[in-house]
Amino acid sequence: MSQPLATTPSLQAVTESIIFPPGDIYSDEPPLESDLHREQIDLLIRLIKWWWRDRQDFYATGNLTIYFSPNQKKSAEFRGPDFFVVLDTEKKDRKSWVVWQENGKYPNVIIEMLSDSTASVDKGLKKQIYQNTFRTPDYFWFDPNNLELQGFHLLDGQYQDLVPTESGWLWSQQLGLYLAVYLGKLRFFTPDGQLVMLPEDEANQQLQQANQQLEQERQRATILAERLRAAGIDPEQIF
């Protein structure tokens, strides 16, 4: 979402000459458009981290600056995707993603959250940068307000529109997951159509399944007791 800040010529000349040392380059992203945008980004991060909780070879984050200046200068070229995933890298916390400190790696997947103030850039300039410079294989944009979802896959150096399924789902080759709108939120789905859940969702599902099993056992016990009584046997005297 960010753009380099305008400076005076003299300050610009000084800043351009600085090569920042490793560890000193912090993210420089502005506040998000709304709570809706922030909640959606946080949701995607939590989902992919939980889904890949046993993996140590990826980095997933959001609203974090990617520095990619060929001259290794913080002040030159940078972008801040709303959500991105880098594969085949070390799973650790970072202050920002600095391409020249990450073996030249760029994101494998980027998702931008559209808003009135960013939609034209996300669909135009950023798409070009992600295609021509980042070479990011999978690019999506999603509008948390009107639920517009569109995706692209890089083929022969050009982004090709992803064709949605009959249900409107879009396939991410890099994630091995579908992206789709579910209850007003952008969510991930497995290849066989299962919703990727958060840990609390899984815990609730397991609790519901346990309660259902207990209820089934109670019903079976009630039926058995009735049959025993019908046969002239007091079930209380059996145990």
Side-chain angles (χ1 to χ4, degrees), residues 38-99:
R38 174 180 53 79
E39 290 166 2
Q40 177 64 79
I41 294 170
D42 289 344
L43 175 61
L44 293 176
I45 295 171
R46 292 187 64 206
L47 285 169
I48 203 66
K49 285 185 174 181
W50 179 246
W51 180 246
W52 284 345
R53 56 190 176 275
D54 296 327
R55 292 180 54 169
Q56 301 297 321
D57 62 346
F58 76 97
Y59 178 64
T61 190
N63 198 40
L64 194 84
T65 303
I66 297 175
Y67 295 104
F68 58 99
S69 168
N71 297 319
Q72 301 186 6
K73 297 175 181 177
K74 174 186 176 184
S75 61
E77 297 169 282
F78 57 93
R79 287 287 160 182
D82 290 326
F83 170 84
F84 67 89
V85 176
V86 184
L87 302 178
D88 299 319
T89 190
E90 185 178 0
K91 184 180 180 182
K92 66 177 183 180
D93 292 335
R94 292 168 170 85
K95 299 173 182 177
S96 62
W97 185 265
V98 185
V99 171

Short mmCIF file of all heavy atoms in Angstrom, two decimals, residues 38-99:
data_model
loop_
_atom_site.label_atom_id
_atom_site.label_comp_id
_atom_site.label_asym_id
_atom_site.label_seq_id
_atom_site.Cartn_x
_atom_site.Cartn_y
_atom_site.Cartn_z
N ARG A 38 -8.32 -5.19 8.12
CA ARG A 38 -7.37 -5.76 9.08
C ARG A 38 -7.80 -7.15 9.53
O ARG A 38 -6.98 -8.08 9.59
CB ARG A 38 -7.26 -4.84 10.30
CG ARG A 38 -6.39 -5.41 11.43
CD ARG A 38 -6.31 -4.46 12.62
NE ARG A 38 -7.63 -4.05 13.07
CZ ARG A 38 -8.43 -4.80 13.84
NH1 ARG A 38 -8.04 -6.02 14.20
NH2 ARG A 38 -9.60 -4.35 14.23
N GLU A 39 -9.09 -7.32 9.82
CA GLU A 39 -9.58 -8.61 10.26
C GLU A 39 -9.43 -9.68 9.17
O GLU A 39 -9.10 -10.83 9.46
CB GLU A 39 -11.05 -8.49 10.69
CG GLU A 39 -11.24 -7.69 11.98
CD GLU A 39 -12.68 -7.29 12.22
OE1 GLU A 39 -13.54 -7.67 11.38
OE2 GLU A 39 -12.95 -6.61 13.21
N GLN A 40 -9.66 -9.27 7.91
CA GLN A 40 -9.53 -10.23 6.82
C GLN A 40 -8.08 -10.67 6.64
O GLN A 40 -7.80 -11.86 6.46
CB GLN A 40 -10.05 -9.61 5.52
CG GLN A 40 -9.88 -10.50 4.29
CD GLN A 40 -10.67 -11.79 4.36
OE1 GLN A 40 -11.86 -11.81 4.13
NE2 GLN A 40 -9.99 -12.90 4.66
N ILE A 41 -7.16 -9.72 6.71
CA ILE A 41 -5.74 -10.06 6.58
C ILE A 41 -5.30 -10.96 7.73
O ILE A 41 -4.62 -11.99 7.51
CB ILE A 41 -4.88 -8.78 6.54
CG1 ILE A 41 -5.19 -7.99 5.26
CG2 ILE A 41 -3.39 -9.12 6.61
CD1 ILE A 41 -4.58 -6.61 5.23
N ASP A 42 -5.68 -10.61 8.95
CA ASP A 42 -5.32 -11.43 10.10
C ASP A 42 -5.89 -12.85 9.97
O ASP A 42 -5.22 -13.83 10.33
CB ASP A 42 -5.83 -10.79 11.39
CG ASP A 42 -5.08 -9.53 11.77
OD1 ASP A 42 -3.99 -9.31 11.22
OD2 ASP A 42 -5.59 -8.75 12.60
N LEU A 43 -7.10 -12.95 9.44
CA LEU A 43 -7.72 -14.25 9.28
C LEU A 43 -6.92 -15.13 8.32
O LEU A 43 -6.65 -16.30 8.61
CB LEU A 43 -9.15 -14.07 8.76
CG LEU A 43 -9.92 -15.36 8.42
CD1 LEU A 43 -10.08 -16.24 9.65
CD2 LEU A 43 -11.28 -15.02 7.82
N LEU A 44 -6.52 -14.57 7.18
CA LEU A 44 -5.75 -15.35 6.21
C LEU A 44 -4.41 -15.81 6.78
O LEU A 44 -3.99 -16.94 6.56
CB LEU A 44 -5.51 -14.51 4.95
CG LEU A 44 -6.75 -14.18 4.11
CD1 LEU A 44 -6.38 -13.25 2.96
CD2 LEU A 44 -7.43 -15.45 3.58
N ILE A 45 -3.76 -14.92 7.52
CA ILE A 45 -2.47 -15.28 8.13
C ILE A 45 -2.63 -16.42 9.12
O ILE A 45 -1.89 -17.41 9.10
CB ILE A 45 -1.83 -14.06 8.82
CG1 ILE A 45 -1.48 -12.98 7.79
CG2 ILE A 45 -0.57 -14.47 9.59
CD1 ILE A 45 -1.06 -11.67 8.41
N ARG A 46 -3.63 -16.29 9.99
CA ARG A 46 -3.86 -17.34 10.99
C ARG A 46 -4.23 -18.67 10.34
O ARG A 46 -3.75 -19.74 10.76
CB ARG A 46 -4.98 -16.91 11.95
CG ARG A 46 -4.63 -15.75 12.87
CD ARG A 46 -5.74 -15.55 13.88
NE ARG A 46 -5.86 -16.72 14.74
CZ ARG A 46 -6.99 -17.07 15.36
NH1 ARG A 46 -8.10 -16.38 15.15
NH2 ARG A 46 -7.03 -18.14 16.13
N LEU A 47 -5.04 -18.61 9.28
CA LEU A 47 -5.47 -19.84 8.62
C LEU A 47 -4.30 -20.59 7.98
O LEU A 47 -4.16 -21.80 8.18
CB LEU A 47 -6.52 -19.51 7.55
CG LEU A 47 -7.92 -19.17 8.05
CD1 LEU A 47 -8.77 -18.61 6.92
CD2 LEU A 47 -8.59 -20.39 8.67
N ILE A 48 -3.47 -19.88 7.23
CA ILE A 48 -2.39 -20.57 6.52
C ILE A 48 -1.33 -21.06 7.51
O ILE A 48 -0.73 -22.13 7.33
CB ILE A 48 -1.77 -19.67 5.43
CG1 ILE A 48 -1.07 -20.53 4.35
CG2 ILE A 48 -0.83 -18.64 6.01
CD1 ILE A 48 -2.02 -21.39 3.56
N LYS A 49 -1.09 -20.29 8.57
CA LYS A 49 -0.11 -20.74 9.57
C LYS A 49 -0.61 -21.98 10.30
O LYS A 49 0.18 -22.88 10.62
CB LYS A 49 0.19 -19.61 10.56
CG LYS A 49 1.09 -18.52 9.99
CD LYS A 49 1.46 -17.50 11.07
CE LYS A 49 2.48 -16.50 10.54
NZ LYS A 49 2.88 -15.51 11.58
N TRP A 50 -1.88 -22.04 10.58
CA TRP A 50 -2.43 -23.21 11.27
C TRP A 50 -2.47 -24.41 10.32
O TRP A 50 -2.15 -25.53 10.71
CB TRP A 50 -3.81 -22.90 11.81
CG TRP A 50 -4.46 -24.06 12.51
CD1 TRP A 50 -5.57 -24.74 12.11
CD2 TRP A 50 -4.04 -24.68 13.73
NE1 TRP A 50 -5.87 -25.76 13.00
CE2 TRP A 50 -4.94 -25.74 14.00
CE3 TRP A 50 -2.97 -24.46 14.62
CZ2 TRP A 50 -4.81 -26.56 15.12
CZ3 TRP A 50 -2.85 -25.28 15.73
CH2 TRP A 50 -3.77 -26.31 15.97
N TRP A 51 -2.86 -24.17 9.08
CA TRP A 51 -2.94 -25.25 8.10
C TRP A 51 -1.57 -25.88 7.88
O TRP A 51 -1.44 -27.10 7.73
CB TRP A 51 -3.51 -24.71 6.79
CG TRP A 51 -3.63 -25.71 5.69
CD1 TRP A 51 -2.95 -25.74 4.50
CD2 TRP A 51 -4.52 -26.84 5.64
NE1 TRP A 51 -3.35 -26.81 3.73
CE2 TRP A 51 -4.31 -27.50 4.41
CE3 TRP A 51 -5.46 -27.36 6.54
CZ2 TRP A 51 -5.01 -28.65 4.05
CZ3 TRP A 51 -6.16 -28.51 6.17
CH2 TRP A 51 -5.93 -29.13 4.94
N TRP A 52 -0.54 -25.04 7.87
CA TRP A 52 0.83 -25.53 7.65
C TRP A 52 1.63 -25.52 8.96
O TRP A 52 2.85 -25.32 8.96
CB TRP A 52 1.53 -24.64 6.62
CG TRP A 52 1.11 -24.91 5.21
CD1 TRP A 52 0.41 -25.98 4.75
CD2 TRP A 52 1.38 -24.08 4.07
NE1 TRP A 52 0.22 -25.88 3.39
CE2 TRP A 52 0.80 -24.73 2.95
CE3 TRP A 52 2.04 -22.87 3.89
CZ2 TRP A 52 0.87 -24.20 1.67
CZ3 TRP A 52 2.11 -22.34 2.62
CH2 TRP A 52 1.53 -23.00 1.51
N ARG A 53 1.00 -25.79 10.05
CA ARG A 53 1.65 -25.68 11.36
C ARG A 53 2.82 -26.64 11.53
O ARG A 53 3.70 -26.41 12.35
CB ARG A 53 0.62 -25.90 12.49
CG ARG A 53 -0.13 -27.21 12.42
CD ARG A 53 -1.29 -27.21 13.43
NE ARG A 53 -2.13 -28.39 13.37
CZ ARG A 53 -3.14 -28.55 12.53
NH1 ARG A 53 -3.40 -27.62 11.63
NH2 ARG A 53 -3.89 -29.64 12.55
N ASP A 54 2.84 -27.73 10.76
CA ASP A 54 3.94 -28.69 10.88
C ASP A 54 5.06 -28.41 9.88
O ASP A 54 6.06 -29.13 9.85
CB ASP A 54 3.41 -30.11 10.67
CG ASP A 54 2.43 -30.54 11.76
OD1 ASP A 54 2.61 -30.10 12.91
OD2 ASP A 54 1.49 -31.28 11.44
N ARG A 55 4.91 -27.38 9.07
CA ARG A 55 5.93 -27.04 8.08
C ARG A 55 6.84 -25.93 8.60
O ARG A 55 6.41 -25.05 9.35
CB ARG A 55 5.27 -26.58 6.76
CG ARG A 55 4.55 -27.68 6.03
CD ARG A 55 3.90 -27.18 4.74
NE ARG A 55 4.84 -26.51 3.84
CZ ARG A 55 4.55 -26.18 2.59
NH1 ARG A 55 3.34 -26.44 2.10
NH2 ARG A 55 5.44 -25.57 1.83
N GLN A 56 8.07 -25.97 8.19
CA GLN A 56 9.06 -24.96 8.59
C GLN A 56 9.68 -24.26 7.39
O GLN A 56 10.73 -23.62 7.52
CB GLN A 56 10.16 -25.62 9.44
CG GLN A 56 9.67 -26.30 10.70
CD GLN A 56 9.02 -25.33 11.67
OE1 GLN A 56 9.49 -24.21 11.85
NE2 GLN A 56 7.95 -25.77 12.33
N ASP A 57 9.05 -24.39 6.22
CA ASP A 57 9.68 -23.91 4.99
C ASP A 57 8.86 -22.83 4.28
O ASP A 57 8.83 -22.77 3.06
CB ASP A 57 9.90 -25.09 4.03
CG ASP A 57 8.59 -25.76 3.62
OD1 ASP A 57 7.55 -25.50 4.27
OD2 ASP A 57 8.60 -26.54 2.64
N PHE A 58 8.19 -21.99 5.05
CA PHE A 58 7.40 -20.92 4.43
C PHE A 58 7.35 -19.70 5.35
O PHE A 58 7.62 -19.79 6.56
CB PHE A 58 5.98 -21.39 4.12
CG PHE A 58 5.09 -21.46 5.35
CD1 PHE A 58 4.22 -20.43 5.67
CD2 PHE A 58 5.13 -22.57 6.19
CE1 PHE A 58 3.42 -20.50 6.80
CE2 PHE A 58 4.34 -22.65 7.33
CZ PHE A 58 3.47 -21.61 7.63
N TYR A 59 7.00 -18.58 4.76
CA TYR A 59 6.80 -17.35 5.51
C TYR A 59 5.49 -16.72 5.05
O TYR A 59 5.30 -16.50 3.84
CB TYR A 59 7.95 -16.38 5.28
CG TYR A 59 7.81 -15.06 6.00
CD1 TYR A 59 7.79 -14.99 7.39
CD2 TYR A 59 7.68 -13.87 5.28
CE1 TYR A 59 7.67 -13.78 8.05
CE2 TYR A 59 7.55 -12.65 5.94
CZ TYR A 59 7.55 -12.61 7.32
OH TYR A 59 7.41 -11.41 7.97
N ALA A 60 4.58 -16.47 5.97
CA ALA A 60 3.28 -15.86 5.65
C ALA A 60 3.07 -14.65 6.54
O ALA A 60 3.26 -14.72 7.77
CB ALA A 60 2.16 -16.87 5.85
N THR A 61 2.67 -13.55 5.94
CA THR A 61 2.46 -12.33 6.72
C THR A 61 1.54 -11.39 5.94
O THR A 61 1.04 -11.74 4.86
CB THR A 61 3.80 -11.65 7.03
OG1 THR A 61 3.58 -10.60 8.00
CG2 THR A 61 4.41 -11.05 5.78
N GLY A 62 1.33 -10.21 6.49
CA GLY A 62 0.48 -9.25 5.81
C GLY A 62 0.81 -7.82 6.19
O GLY A 62 1.35 -7.56 7.27
N ASN A 63 0.52 -6.90 5.26
CA ASN A 63 0.78 -5.48 5.45
C ASN A 63 2.21 -5.24 5.89
O ASN A 63 2.49 -4.45 6.80
CB ASN A 63 -0.20 -4.89 6.47
CG ASN A 63 -0.28 -3.37 6.39
OD1 ASN A 63 -0.28 -2.80 5.29
ND2 ASN A 63 -0.34 -2.71 7.53
N LEU A 64 3.14 -5.91 5.26
CA LEU A 64 4.56 -5.82 5.59
C LEU A 64 5.32 -5.40 4.33
O LEU A 64 5.05 -5.88 3.24
CB LEU A 64 5.08 -7.17 6.08
CG LEU A 64 6.45 -7.13 6.76
CD1 LEU A 64 6.27 -6.74 8.23
CD2 LEU A 64 7.14 -8.48 6.67
N THR A 65 6.28 -4.51 4.50
CA THR A 65 7.01 -3.97 3.36
C THR A 65 7.97 -5.00 2.75
O THR A 65 8.67 -5.71 3.47
CB THR A 65 7.83 -2.74 3.78
OG1 THR A 65 6.94 -1.77 4.34
CG2 THR A 65 8.52 -2.11 2.58
N ILE A 66 7.96 -5.06 1.42
CA ILE A 66 8.93 -5.83 0.66
C ILE A 66 9.88 -4.84 0.00
O ILE A 66 9.47 -4.01 -0.81
CB ILE A 66 8.26 -6.69 -0.42
CG1 ILE A 66 7.34 -7.73 0.23
CG2 ILE A 66 9.31 -7.38 -1.29
CD1 ILE A 66 6.55 -8.54 -0.77
N TYR A 67 11.16 -4.91 0.36
CA TYR A 67 12.18 -4.04 -0.23
C TYR A 67 12.88 -4.83 -1.33
O TYR A 67 13.38 -5.93 -1.10
CB TYR A 67 13.18 -3.59 0.83
CG TYR A 67 12.57 -2.71 1.90
CD1 TYR A 67 12.29 -3.20 3.16
CD2 TYR A 67 12.29 -1.37 1.63
CE1 TYR A 67 11.73 -2.39 4.14
CE2 TYR A 67 11.72 -0.55 2.60
CZ TYR A 67 11.45 -1.07 3.84
OH TYR A 67 10.87 -0.25 4.80
N PHE A 68 12.93 -4.25 -2.54
CA PHE A 68 13.49 -5.01 -3.66
C PHE A 68 14.40 -4.18 -4.56
O PHE A 68 14.58 -4.49 -5.73
CB PHE A 68 12.37 -5.64 -4.48
CG PHE A 68 11.37 -4.67 -5.06
CD1 PHE A 68 11.46 -4.25 -6.38
CD2 PHE A 68 10.32 -4.20 -4.29
CE1 PHE A 68 10.52 -3.38 -6.93
CE2 PHE A 68 9.38 -3.32 -4.83
CZ PHE A 68 9.49 -2.91 -6.15
N SER A 69 14.98 -3.12 -4.03
CA SER A 69 15.87 -2.29 -4.83
C SER A 69 17.08 -3.10 -5.31
O SER A 69 17.75 -3.77 -4.51
CB SER A 69 16.37 -1.10 -4.00
OG SER A 69 17.44 -0.45 -4.66
N PRO A 70 17.39 -3.07 -6.60
CA PRO A 70 18.58 -3.78 -7.10
C PRO A 70 19.87 -3.22 -6.52
O PRO A 70 20.90 -3.90 -6.51
CB PRO A 70 18.50 -3.58 -8.61
CG PRO A 70 17.67 -2.36 -8.80
CD PRO A 70 16.67 -2.37 -7.68
N ASN A 71 19.81 -1.96 -6.03
CA ASN A 71 20.99 -1.35 -5.40
C ASN A 71 20.98 -1.52 -3.88
O ASN A 71 21.80 -0.92 -3.19
CB ASN A 71 21.04 0.15 -5.74
CG ASN A 71 21.21 0.39 -7.22
OD1 ASN A 71 21.98 -0.30 -7.88
ND2 ASN A 71 20.47 1.36 -7.76
N GLN A 72 20.04 -2.32 -3.39
CA GLN A 72 19.95 -2.62 -1.96
C GLN A 72 19.76 -1.35 -1.14
O GLN A 72 20.42 -1.16 -0.12
CB GLN A 72 21.17 -3.42 -1.49
CG GLN A 72 21.35 -4.73 -2.23
CD GLN A 72 22.47 -5.58 -1.65
OE1 GLN A 72 23.06 -5.24 -0.63
NE2 GLN A 72 22.78 -6.68 -2.32
N LYS A 73 18.84 -0.51 -1.56
CA LYS A 73 18.56 0.73 -0.84
C LYS A 73 17.12 0.74 -0.38
O LYS A 73 16.19 0.57 -1.17
CB LYS A 73 18.82 1.94 -1.74
CG LYS A 73 20.28 2.07 -2.17
CD LYS A 73 20.46 3.21 -3.15
CE LYS A 73 21.91 3.33 -3.61
NZ LYS A 73 22.08 4.39 -4.63
N LYS A 74 16.95 0.99 0.90
CA LYS A 74 15.62 1.02 1.47
C LYS A 74 14.75 2.11 0.85
O LYS A 74 13.54 1.96 0.70
CB LYS A 74 15.70 1.23 2.98
CG LYS A 74 14.35 1.40 3.66
CD LYS A 74 14.51 1.75 5.13
CE LYS A 74 13.16 2.02 5.77
NZ LYS A 74 13.27 2.44 7.16
N SER A 75 15.35 3.21 0.48
CA SER A 75 14.58 4.36 0.01
C SER A 75 14.13 4.23 -1.43
O SER A 75 13.36 5.06 -1.92
CB SER A 75 15.44 5.63 0.15
OG SER A 75 16.60 5.51 -0.64
N ALA A 76 14.59 3.20 -2.13
CA ALA A 76 14.33 3.13 -3.56
C ALA A 76 13.00 2.44 -3.89
O ALA A 76 11.99 3.09 -4.05
CB ALA A 76 15.49 2.45 -4.26
N GLU A 77 13.00 1.13 -4.00
CA GLU A 77 11.83 0.41 -4.48
C GLU A 77 11.28 -0.51 -3.39
O GLU A 77 11.98 -1.38 -2.89
CB GLU A 77 12.20 -0.39 -5.72
CG GLU A 77 12.63 0.48 -6.88
CD GLU A 77 13.24 -0.31 -8.01
OE1 GLU A 77 14.41 -0.69 -7.87
OE2 GLU A 77 12.54 -0.53 -9.00
N PHE A 78 10.02 -0.32 -3.08
CA PHE A 78 9.38 -1.17 -2.09
C PHE A 78 7.87 -1.15 -2.27
O PHE A 78 7.29 -0.21 -2.79
CB PHE A 78 9.74 -0.75 -0.66
CG PHE A 78 9.41 0.68 -0.31
CD1 PHE A 78 8.19 1.00 0.28
CD2 PHE A 78 10.31 1.71 -0.56
CE1 PHE A 78 7.89 2.30 0.62
CE2 PHE A 78 10.02 3.02 -0.22
CZ PHE A 78 8.80 3.32 0.37
N ARG A 79 7.24 -2.25 -1.83
CA ARG A 79 5.79 -2.41 -1.87
C ARG A 79 5.37 -3.16 -0.62
O ARG A 79 6.15 -3.90 -0.03
CB ARG A 79 5.34 -3.19 -3.12
CG ARG A 79 5.45 -2.40 -4.40
CD ARG A 79 4.37 -1.33 -4.49
NE ARG A 79 4.73 -0.30 -5.45
CZ ARG A 79 3.98 0.77 -5.70
NH1 ARG A 79 2.86 0.94 -5.05
NH2 ARG A 79 4.37 1.67 -6.59
N GLY A 80 4.11 -2.97 -0.25
CA GLY A 80 3.60 -3.65 0.94
C GLY A 80 2.32 -4.42 0.66
O GLY A 80 1.22 -3.91 0.88
N PRO A 81 2.42 -5.63 0.14
CA PRO A 81 1.21 -6.43 -0.11
C PRO A 81 0.41 -6.65 1.17
O PRO A 81 0.97 -6.75 2.26
CB PRO A 81 1.77 -7.76 -0.64
CG PRO A 81 3.13 -7.43 -1.15
CD PRO A 81 3.64 -6.36 -0.25
N ASP A 82 -0.89 -6.74 1.02
CA ASP A 82 -1.74 -6.95 2.19
C ASP A 82 -1.55 -8.33 2.79
O ASP A 82 -1.60 -8.51 4.01
CB ASP A 82 -3.21 -6.75 1.80
CG ASP A 82 -3.52 -5.29 1.50
OD1 ASP A 82 -2.94 -4.41 2.15
OD2 ASP A 82 -4.34 -5.03 0.60
N PHE A 83 -1.34 -9.32 1.93
CA PHE A 83 -1.08 -10.68 2.40
C PHE A 83 -0.16 -11.35 1.39
O PHE A 83 -0.38 -11.24 0.18
CB PHE A 83 -2.39 -11.48 2.51
CG PHE A 83 -2.19 -12.95 2.77
CD1 PHE A 83 -1.99 -13.43 4.06
CD2 PHE A 83 -2.20 -13.86 1.72
CE1 PHE A 83 -1.80 -14.78 4.29
CE2 PHE A 83 -2.01 -15.22 1.95
CZ PHE A 83 -1.82 -15.68 3.24
N PHE A 84 0.88 -12.02 1.88
CA PHE A 84 1.73 -12.75 0.95
C PHE A 84 2.38 -13.95 1.62
O PHE A 84 2.52 -14.01 2.85
CB PHE A 84 2.79 -11.85 0.30
CG PHE A 84 3.86 -11.30 1.22
CD1 PHE A 84 5.03 -12.00 1.44
CD2 PHE A 84 3.71 -10.06 1.82
CE1 PHE A 84 6.04 -11.48 2.26
CE2 PHE A 84 4.70 -9.53 2.63
CZ PHE A 84 5.87 -10.24 2.85
N VAL A 85 2.74 -14.92 0.77
CA VAL A 85 3.37 -16.14 1.23
C VAL A 85 4.61 -16.39 0.38
O VAL A 85 4.56 -16.30 -0.84
CB VAL A 85 2.42 -17.35 1.10
CG1 VAL A 85 3.14 -18.65 1.49
CG2 VAL A 85 1.18 -17.16 1.96
N VAL A 86 5.71 -16.69 1.05
CA VAL A 86 6.95 -17.07 0.38
C VAL A 86 7.23 -18.53 0.72
O VAL A 86 7.23 -18.90 1.90
CB VAL A 86 8.14 -16.19 0.81
CG1 VAL A 86 9.38 -16.55 0.00
CG2 VAL A 86 7.80 -14.72 0.65
N LEU A 87 7.47 -19.34 -0.28
CA LEU A 87 7.75 -20.76 -0.08
C LEU A 87 9.25 -21.03 -0.11
O LEU A 87 10.03 -20.21 -0.60
CB LEU A 87 7.06 -21.60 -1.16
CG LEU A 87 5.54 -21.43 -1.25
CD1 LEU A 87 5.00 -22.28 -2.39
CD2 LEU A 87 4.86 -21.81 0.06
N ASP A 88 9.63 -22.17 0.44
CA ASP A 88 11.04 -22.60 0.45
C ASP A 88 11.94 -21.56 1.10
O ASP A 88 13.00 -21.18 0.57
CB ASP A 88 11.51 -22.89 -0.98
CG ASP A 88 10.71 -23.99 -1.65
OD1 ASP A 88 10.41 -24.99 -0.96
OD2 ASP A 88 10.37 -23.85 -2.83
N THR A 89 11.51 -21.09 2.26
CA THR A 89 12.30 -20.15 3.04
C THR A 89 12.17 -20.49 4.51
O THR A 89 11.34 -21.33 4.89
CB THR A 89 11.83 -18.70 2.78
OG1 THR A 89 12.78 -17.79 3.36
CG2 THR A 89 10.45 -18.45 3.38
N GLU A 90 12.95 -19.84 5.34
CA GLU A 90 12.94 -20.13 6.76
C GLU A 90 11.72 -19.53 7.43
O GLU A 90 11.38 -18.37 7.21
CB GLU A 90 14.21 -19.60 7.43
CG GLU A 90 14.32 -19.96 8.90
CD GLU A 90 15.61 -19.45 9.53
OE1 GLU A 90 16.40 -18.81 8.81
OE2 GLU A 90 15.81 -19.69 10.73
N LYS A 91 11.06 -20.32 8.26
CA LYS A 91 9.90 -19.86 9.01
C LYS A 91 10.36 -19.15 10.28
O LYS A 91 10.75 -19.78 11.26
CB LYS A 91 9.00 -21.05 9.36
CG LYS A 91 7.70 -20.69 10.05
CD LYS A 91 6.90 -21.95 10.34
CE LYS A 91 5.60 -21.66 11.03
NZ LYS A 91 4.85 -22.91 11.34
N LYS A 92 10.36 -17.83 10.24
CA LYS A 92 10.79 -17.04 11.39
C LYS A 92 10.18 -15.65 11.29
O LYS A 92 9.71 -15.23 10.23
CB LYS A 92 12.32 -16.93 11.43
CG LYS A 92 12.90 -16.15 10.26
CD LYS A 92 14.42 -16.00 10.36
CE LYS A 92 14.98 -15.15 9.22
NZ LYS A 92 16.44 -14.99 9.31
N ASP A 93 10.18 -14.93 12.41
CA ASP A 93 9.65 -13.57 12.41
C ASP A 93 10.62 -12.63 11.71
O ASP A 93 11.85 -12.79 11.78
CB ASP A 93 9.43 -13.08 13.85
CG ASP A 93 8.30 -13.84 14.54
OD1 ASP A 93 7.43 -14.37 13.82
OD2 ASP A 93 8.29 -13.90 15.78
N ARG A 94 10.08 -11.61 11.04
CA ARG A 94 10.89 -10.63 10.33
C ARG A 94 10.33 -9.23 10.54
O ARG A 94 9.13 -9.06 10.77
CB ARG A 94 10.93 -10.95 8.83
CG ARG A 94 11.68 -12.23 8.47
CD ARG A 94 11.42 -12.63 7.03
NE ARG A 94 12.29 -13.70 6.55
CZ ARG A 94 12.06 -15.00 6.72
NH1 ARG A 94 10.98 -15.39 7.37
NH2 ARG A 94 12.91 -15.91 6.23
N LYS A 95 11.20 -8.23 10.42
CA LYS A 95 10.78 -6.84 10.50
C LYS A 95 10.22 -6.35 9.17
O LYS A 95 9.42 -5.40 9.12
CB LYS A 95 11.95 -5.95 10.91
CG LYS A 95 12.54 -6.29 12.27
CD LYS A 95 13.80 -5.49 12.53
CE LYS A 95 14.42 -5.85 13.87
NZ LYS A 95 15.69 -5.12 14.10
N SER A 96 10.66 -6.97 8.09
CA SER A 96 10.23 -6.68 6.74
C SER A 96 10.78 -7.79 5.87
O SER A 96 11.54 -8.65 6.35
CB SER A 96 10.77 -5.31 6.26
OG SER A 96 12.19 -5.32 6.24
N TRP A 97 10.37 -7.79 4.58
CA TRP A 97 10.94 -8.78 3.67
C TRP A 97 11.92 -8.04 2.76
O TRP A 97 11.51 -7.23 1.92
CB TRP A 97 9.86 -9.46 2.84
CG TRP A 97 10.42 -10.55 1.98
CD1 TRP A 97 10.82 -10.44 0.68
CD2 TRP A 97 10.70 -11.90 2.36
NE1 TRP A 97 11.33 -11.63 0.22
CE2 TRP A 97 11.26 -12.56 1.24
CE3 TRP A 97 10.53 -12.63 3.54
CZ2 TRP A 97 11.63 -13.90 1.26
CZ3 TRP A 97 10.91 -13.96 3.56
CH2 TRP A 97 11.45 -14.59 2.44
N VAL A 98 13.19 -8.34 2.93
CA VAL A 98 14.25 -7.67 2.17
C VAL A 98 14.79 -8.68 1.16
O VAL A 98 15.50 -9.62 1.52
CB VAL A 98 15.37 -7.17 3.11
CG1 VAL A 98 16.39 -6.37 2.32
CG2 VAL A 98 14.77 -6.32 4.23
N VAL A 99 14.47 -8.47 -0.10
CA VAL A 99 14.77 -9.47 -1.13
C VAL A 99 16.24 -9.83 -1.18
O VAL A 99 16.60 -11.00 -1.29
CB VAL A 99 14.28 -8.97 -2.51
CG1 VAL A 99 14.78 -9.87 -3.62
CG2 VAL A 99 12.76 -8.90 -2.54
#
